[in-house]
């Protein structure tokens, strides 16, 4: 590694993900723990601790999402430094590695869950506290950027909706509405789709959600869950999106 590359790597994981003025003491302690973690095993320990703190409401979700993203970026930096692939126990890093190698993979996105968890990126398109049609379109466009960028990436984006429908926004990006009534409509469709027999082998599949019920159920379907915070870098505005918006 050149000195320039080393400096860039250090800068990448020395940036502070939280506002020191307004963040909780626990959030700031996690920043220090992630920054000081020695290797990928140490990062996996911190990942589990952050997820647990979010589940039991000890850590604000807004902070947890930023910490998850910070940890994912540091794992990438460690892997580059050591010239190894990130651990398979860090799912977002595994997805990144597959895309770099141009290996086919399917990402199934729990759309409304992702919009709520990453609301800081989409809040201007919320109406009465809920994501509007424009918020859903913004998410769709940003995921479209990713399938354009990565030729081996396939995405199925699912939303709750009264009328069942699916449309192709790209040969590798499908946007679906669940149909039906009640809660967890998209979740039920995602589970049914994953359990469905496929005429051809399905590529390695990831599901993006922070819904604990959905995450537990998909463990039985041989897919890999990714937390919304770990997927954040995929839906931030990118050069492709900025040029076409």
């Amino acid at each position: 590694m050149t000195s320039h590359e080393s400096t860039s790597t250090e800068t990448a994981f020395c940036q502070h993900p939280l506002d020191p003025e307004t963040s909780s003491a626990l959030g700031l302690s996690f920043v220090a723990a992630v920054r000081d973690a020695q290797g990928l095993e140490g990062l996996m320990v911190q990942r589990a601790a952050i997820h647990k703190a979010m589940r039991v409401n000890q850590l604000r979700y807004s902070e947890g999402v930023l910490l998850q993203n910070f940890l994912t970026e540091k794992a990438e930096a460690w892997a580059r430094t050591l010239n190894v692939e990130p651990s398979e126990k860090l799912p977002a890093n595994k997805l990144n590695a597959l895309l770099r190698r141009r290996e086919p993979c399917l990402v199934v996105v729990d759309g409304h869950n992702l919009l709520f968890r990453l609301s800081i990126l989409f809040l201007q398109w919320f109406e009465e506290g809920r994501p509007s049609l424009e918020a859903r379109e913004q998410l769709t466009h940003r995921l479209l950027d990713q399938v354009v960028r990565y030729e081996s990436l396939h995405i199925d984006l699912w939303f709750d909706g009264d009328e069942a429908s699916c449309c192709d926004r790209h040969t590798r990006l499908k946007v679906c509405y669940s149909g039906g009534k009640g809660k967890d409509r998209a979740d039920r469709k995602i589970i049914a789709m994953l359990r469905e027999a496929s005429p051809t082998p399905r590529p390695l599949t990831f599901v993006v959600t922070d819904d604990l019920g959905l995450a537990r159920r998909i463990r039985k379907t041989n897919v890999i869950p990714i937390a919304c915070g770990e997927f954040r870098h995929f839906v931030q505005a990118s050069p492709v999106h900025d040029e076409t918006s």
Side-chain angles (χ1 to χ4, degrees), residues 108-144:
V108 181
V109 179
D110 183 357
H112 278 121
N113 186 260
L114 183 64
L115 283 169
F116 277 115
R117 295 311 187 201
L118 301 187
S119 59
I120 191 170
L121 300 178
F122 299 95
L123 202 55
Q124 63 181 301
W125 300 294
F126 274 44
E127 295 176 357
E128 298 180 353
R130 297 189 61 81
S132 65
L133 174 61
E134 181 58 27
R136 297 193 292 274
E137 281 298 304
Q138 286 289 327
L139 176 57
T140 301
H141 282 303
R142 294 182 186 199
L143 294 178
L144 177 60

Side-chain angles (χ1 to χ4, degrees), residues 19-54:
D19 181 351
E21 299 288 328
T22 59
S23 297
S24 68
L26 181 59
L28 294 175
S29 72
F30 272 126
V31 172
V34 169
R35 181 173 289 146
D36 296 341
Q38 297 301 304
L40 296 171
E41 293 299 324
L43 289 175
M44 285 187 284
V45 170
Q46 294 306 318
R47 177 179 183 265
I50 291 167
H51 285 207
K52 181 179 179 180
M54 292 170 73

